[in-house]
Amino acid sequence: MPRKGGPVQKRSLPHVKKVIAVASGKGGVGKSTVAVNLAFSLAMHAEHAPRQRPRVGVLDLDIFGPSIPKLMALENVDEPQLTEAGAIVPVVNHGLPCMSMGFLLPKAPGTDSSADTPVVWRGLMVQKAVQQLLFDVDWRDMEGGSELDVLVIDMPPGTGDVPLTLGQLVNVDGAVIVSTPQDVALTDVRKGVSMFQKVSVPIVGLLLNESHFICPSCATPHELFGSPAAFRATAARFGVDVLGELPLVPGVSRGGDRGVPYALYSTDSTDGTSDPGGKEWKDTMASVANKVWQFLSR
């Protein structure tokens, strides 16, 4: 039914200049890993001088399966502090502020982590939690008071309540949609693109994850999950850009398990870009960050 007062007016998030949503139609495509690494790549963007680096934050809106605490090595942190006005103060690691439902859940008995604590809520509770994470977090630097230049939002998979709430309430500057080459993933990508278009969220482009694997013995790319042709055809069908095609690199998974995003590995690291395809992965992610900056600067 239409509201008596008219449609809900979108608004900007407090102390945030630009908002980028990282979404996927299907779970398990590496969306959260991409979101975290994209945030660091944006923060380290080459066109910005070190002293003028932008402030970038990450917001985990996956209420039922938050991944940011694990990916940022923040599984055992205490509950976030509150400002004098009652706003939630983000948790910081690797110099990046972040917020997640995982930080607000009670810890499982006998453990120092809330990773095993389930969220068993109905829709209204989820929407209330999403609105609190969106509008009740103070993203300002506690020392200098500077705002966030960009907030990267890690969306839950699918086209349910959370993406709809975000699209209807918040001025989202762009969305990056992550997929893998399989048709079953691309089917849900098409639904995700259509959803963002319906709620008037601009789509920055599509990003293909796990596009190919480079064999260490033969240096030949192997398309383990199928040809990227269908992915490229999907982007062309909707008239959106292909931001990049990330190779399958073992170090990305290892870094996520350790809570050290792969984008932070140095180029001469024996545990980082020495992986087959590691340099290509980092170069591609840096290119994606550059394209996102260009999109936000329009």
Side-chain angles (χ1 to χ4, degrees):
M1 297 293 291
R3 296 175 180 269
K4 293 182 179 180
V8 177
Q9 295 296 319
K10 294 184 181 182
R11 54 187 172 133
S12 300
L13 297 183
H15 314 301
V16 175
K17 296 178 182 178
K18 299 289 185 179
V19 174
I20 287 291
V22 178
S24 67
K26 178 169 290 296
V29 299
K31 167 187 53 59
S32 297
T33 300
V34 167
V36 169
N37 282 280
L38 175 61
F40 280 102
S41 297
L42 289 169
M44 299 183 296
H45 190 234
E47 292 185 4
H48 293 85
R51 293 186 179 181
Q52 298 176 340
R53 290 274 169 85
R55 290 196 70 235
V56 181
V58 175
L59 173 60
D60 186 354
L61 278 191
D62 195 340
I63 303 299
F64 295 104
S67 301
I68 297 302
K70 176 67 175 179
L71 295 172
M72 292 290 291
L74 292 170
E75 293 177 288
N76 300 323
V77 298
D78 295 327
E79 188 171 321
Q81 298 180 348
L82 301 178
T83 66
E84 294 182 358
I88 305 173
V89 178
V91 183
V92 179
N93 195 18
H94 307 305
L96 198 83
C98 52
M99 180 50 56
S100 169
M101 190 67 208
F103 301 149
L104 306 176
L105 296 174
K107 296 179 180 179
T111 70
D112 294 329
S113 171
S114 62
D116 297 331
T117 304
V119 176
V120 188
W121 289 347
R122 295 188 184 274
L124 290 177
M125 290 283 288
V126 174
Q127 291 186 36
K128 185 175 181 180
V130 169
Q131 292 185 39
Q132 184 175 12
L133 289 172
L134 288 172
F135 297 107
D136 293 346
V137 177
D138 192 336
W139 291 102
R140 289 176 295 182
D141 182 0
M142 292 297 103
E143 297 180 0
S146 57
E147 298 180 328
L148 278 187
D149 293 291
V150 181
L151 177 64
V152 177
I153 299 183
D154 179 23
M155 302 293 294
T159 57
D161 287 348
V162 176
L164 188 60
T165 299
L166 177 73
Q168 290 180 333
L169 298 183
V170 178
N171 290 320
V172 181
D173 297 281
V176 173
I177 300 181
V178 182
S179 179
T180 48
Q182 301 96 321
D183 287 342
V184 67
L186 291 172
T187 298
D188 290 336
V189 163
R190 292 191 286 270
K191 296 176 183 177
V193 171
S194 298
M195 181 205 67
F196 280 119
Q197 290 175 340
K198 286 184 177 181
V199 295
S200 301
V201 172
I203 298 176
V204 183
L206 306 186
L207 177 61
L208 185 61
N209 195 27
E210 301 177 355
S211 170
H212 56 275
F213 174 72
I214 298 179
C215 179
S217 60
C218 62
T220 300
H222 298 275
E223 296 171 349
L224 300 181
F225 303 116
S227 169
F231 169 82
R232 297 166 187 167
T234 298
R237 171 185 169 185
F238 286 95
V240 296
D241 294 334
V242 173
L243 297 176
E245 299 179 4
L246 292 168
L248 179 62
V249 177
V252 175
S253 177
R254 292 197 300 267
D257 290 343
R258 294 169 50 191
V260 182
Y262 197 69
L264 295 181
Y265 283 87
S266 63
T267 55
D268 58 353
S269 172
T270 57
D271 195 22
T273 51
S274 60
D275 284 325
K279 185 178 186 305
E280 180 185 346
W281 192 98
K282 293 196 70 174
D283 290 344
T284 301
M285 183 58 71
S287 175
V288 172
N290 183 57
K291 292 175 182 177
V292 170
W293 271 118
Q294 291 179 353
F295 187 92
L296 295 177
S297 302
R298 293 178 182 176

